[in-house]
Amino acid sequence: MRHAFLFALLLSTTLSAQYYPTPTAWANKTPAETGLDPAAIDSAIVFALANEYSGARDLRLAILQSFSREPDHALQGPTKERGGPAGMIIKDGYVVAQWGDTERVDMTFSVTKSYLSTTAGLALDDGLIRSVKDTVADYVWDGTFNGDHNGKITWEHLLHQTSDWSGALFGLYDWADRPDRDGNLDEWRYRKLQEPGSQFKYNDVRVNVLAYSLLQVWRRPLPVVIKERIMDPIGASTTWRWYGYDNTWVNVDGLKMQSVSGGGHHGGGLFVNTTDHARLGLLFARKGKWGDRQLISRRWTDMIQTPTPANASYGYMWWLNQGPRQWEGVPDHLYYAAGFGGNFIVVDEQEDLVIVTRWLEPREIGEMVRKVYAGVKANR
C-alpha cells in the first residue's frame, strides 16, 4: 500500500509539473531539449514553407472559385485576405519551432467545427444536454426538427455529420451544399433521405443547424461561451472573432444574437491567429486540463476520438488518423482539426505534441506530419 501511495504521489507531482504558457509568455526549447531531432523538424518547416496553398490569397476569390458549382452559392459573411504559411510545433508544452507570422489573424474555415464541437462538449458537461443520444427536437422545438425524418436526429448525428437533416436554414438549403457531382438540380432537390446515422456527408448547412441548436440550448452567443470557458482560461489573445452570416441574427429571450457558422463556406466562421490555435491544441493534448483546472471533461476528449460507424476517419467534428483518410507512417492515435486552404491543428496526447500549420497545400499535410514524426522517432 505504501508503495502504491508513493507511486500515486510521484505521478501526481509529475503531472502537476507539466509546463503551461502564461497569457503573456510562452517558453521556447530547442527540439533537442525535448527529445526531437532538429534536422527532421527543420525539414518539416522547410517543407511547409515550400508548399503554400495554391489558392488565391484573396479568399473571396478562393471561396467563390472552389464552390462555384453549388446552386446560388454566394458570400454571406465576412472574409479576409490571408497571409502566408505559418505554424508552430509544441512539445511537452514548449514551443520548439515556429514559422511565418503566428500572430496574424486569419480565417480558419472548418477548423471552426472543432471549436463548435467544444461548445457542445461544454453543454454536455454542464447538463444542458443530457445525452448526445437525445433527439435535438427535445431541446429545439421551433420547427427546425419537425417531421418524421428530422425528428429522429440526435446531437450525435449532428456532431458526426450523419444526420441528413433536410430543409433550409437562413435561406440555405441542405441539398445545395456540396451536391453530388453526377446529379442535376431536380435530383439534388428530390433525393432520397438517408436514415440518420447511416451515412456520413460533410455539409455546412447541417453544421450550422448544430450551431443554431446549441445557441438555443446555451441561450448565449457561442463566442461568449467559448471565450469565458476556454479561450480566456488558456490565455488566448483578444484578437480572435467568430462570425455568422449577415442574416443569421435571431431573437433569444428578447435579445438579438448571431448564430455563428461552423466554417467559412459562405464567409464567416472563426478568425484567429496561429498561437491561439496552438493553445487550444495543447488543451486537448492535455485531455482538457489547463494547469490545475479541468476546462472540459476527459469524457469529452475521449468521445471526440471515437469514430462514427459511418466514417472511421471522423469523430465529433475532429478528424481521426484512422479509416480511409489515414496518413500512412503516422501514429493512428492522433487526431486533428482541418479547414479549407490547408489549416490544421494536429493533437497527439501520447506524445504531448501539437502541430499547427496554416496555408499548407492540403494534399501535403500527411507528408508534413510524417517529417515531424521522423523527428520524434529519430531520438529513440
Side-chain angles (χ1 to χ4, degrees), residues 6-20 286:
L6 290 174
F7 176 77
L9 181 63
L10 178 62
L11 181 62
S12 175
T13 302
T14 302
L15 291 175
S16 65
Q18 285 182 316
Y19 170 74
Y20 287 88
R286 299 280 171 82

Side-chain angles (χ1 to χ4, degrees), residues 136-265:
V136 188
D138 290 341
Y139 299 78
V140 181
W141 42 262
D142 61 2
T144 306
F145 293 90
N146 280 2
D148 291 341
H149 176 79
N150 287 347
K152 297 177 184 177
I153 293 169
T154 67
W155 292 102
E156 184 169 74
H157 294 146
L158 290 175
L159 288 159
H160 276 165
Q161 297 219 57
T162 60
S163 72
D164 205 24
W165 180 88
S166 178
L169 181 72
F170 304 121
L172 297 175
Y173 288 90
D174 70 285
W175 54 263
D177 188 308
R178 298 176 176 86
D180 294 337
R181 291 189 175 276
D182 297 331
N184 57 47
L185 193 62
D186 284 341
E187 290 172 336
W188 296 334
R189 276 177 162 169
Y190 305 116
R191 65 187 177 81
K192 179 182 177 181
L193 298 180
Q194 303 296 320
E195 184 70 14
S198 68
Q199 184 180 83
F200 174 84
K201 179 65 185 294
Y202 205 82
N203 184 287
D204 274 67
V205 173
R206 297 183 193 122
V207 170
N208 293 343
V209 169
L210 172 63
Y212 173 77
S213 300
L214 287 167
L215 174 62
Q216 300 302 311
V217 167
W218 277 107
R219 313 200 72 74
R220 303 172 66 210
L222 299 189
V224 173
V225 172
I226 205 163
K227 179 179 188 297
E228 293 178 355
R229 297 289 294 275
I230 300 294
M231 301 301 274
D232 286 353
I234 66 176
S237 73
T238 59
T239 62
W240 64 273
R241 301 290 184 270
W242 191 356
Y243 299 106
Y245 305 145
D246 297 339
N247 66 337
T248 60
W249 294 90
V250 297
N251 184 325
V252 179
D253 300 332
L255 299 175
K256 191 176 183 182
M257 299 181 190
Q258 190 176 41
S259 187
V260 292
S261 68
H265 192 76

Side-chain angles (χ1 to χ4, degrees), residues 118 280-288 301 304 318 335 347 349:
T118 302
L280 184 85
L282 181 59
L283 173 69
F284 279 89
R286 299 280 171 82
K287 299 183 179 181
T301 62
I304 63 175
W318 290 83
Y335 62 99
V347 177
E349 294 177 354

Side-chain angles (χ1 to χ4, degrees), residues 5 43 47 108 167 244 248 263 271 279 287 295 298-299 307 320 329 352-354 374:
F5 172 77
S43 174
F47 185 84
T108 199
T248 60
F271 290 54
R279 287 177 179 270
K287 299 183 179 181
L295 299 183
R298 289 192 177 190
R299 173 181 65 158
L320 314 178
D352 198 5
L353 177 70
V354 176

Side-chain angles (χ1 to χ4, degrees), residues 10-71:
L10 178 62
L11 181 62
S12 175
T13 302
T14 302
L15 291 175
S16 65
Q18 285 182 316
Y19 170 74
Y20 287 88
T22 71
T24 57
W26 200 331
N28 292 265
K29 283 191 174 183
T30 66
E33 288 176 316
T34 62
L36 301 178
D37 178 60
I41 300 305
D42 286 346
S43 174
I45 296 170
V46 169
F47 185 84
L49 290 170
N51 287 275
E52 180 177 349
Y53 169 55
S54 56
R57 288 207 176 193
D58 184 340
L59 290 173
R60 295 172 301 176
L61 296 177
I63 295 167
L64 292 172
Q65 289 169 353
S66 295
F67 302 112
S68 61
R69 59 179 294 275
E70 297 183 5

Side-chain angles (χ1 to χ4, degrees), residues 67-87:
F67 302 112
S68 61
R69 59 179 294 275
E70 297 183 5
D72 300 320
H73 178 270
L75 292 174
Q76 300 194 27
T79 62
K80 183 177 186 286
E81 185 169 331
R82 69 172 177 86

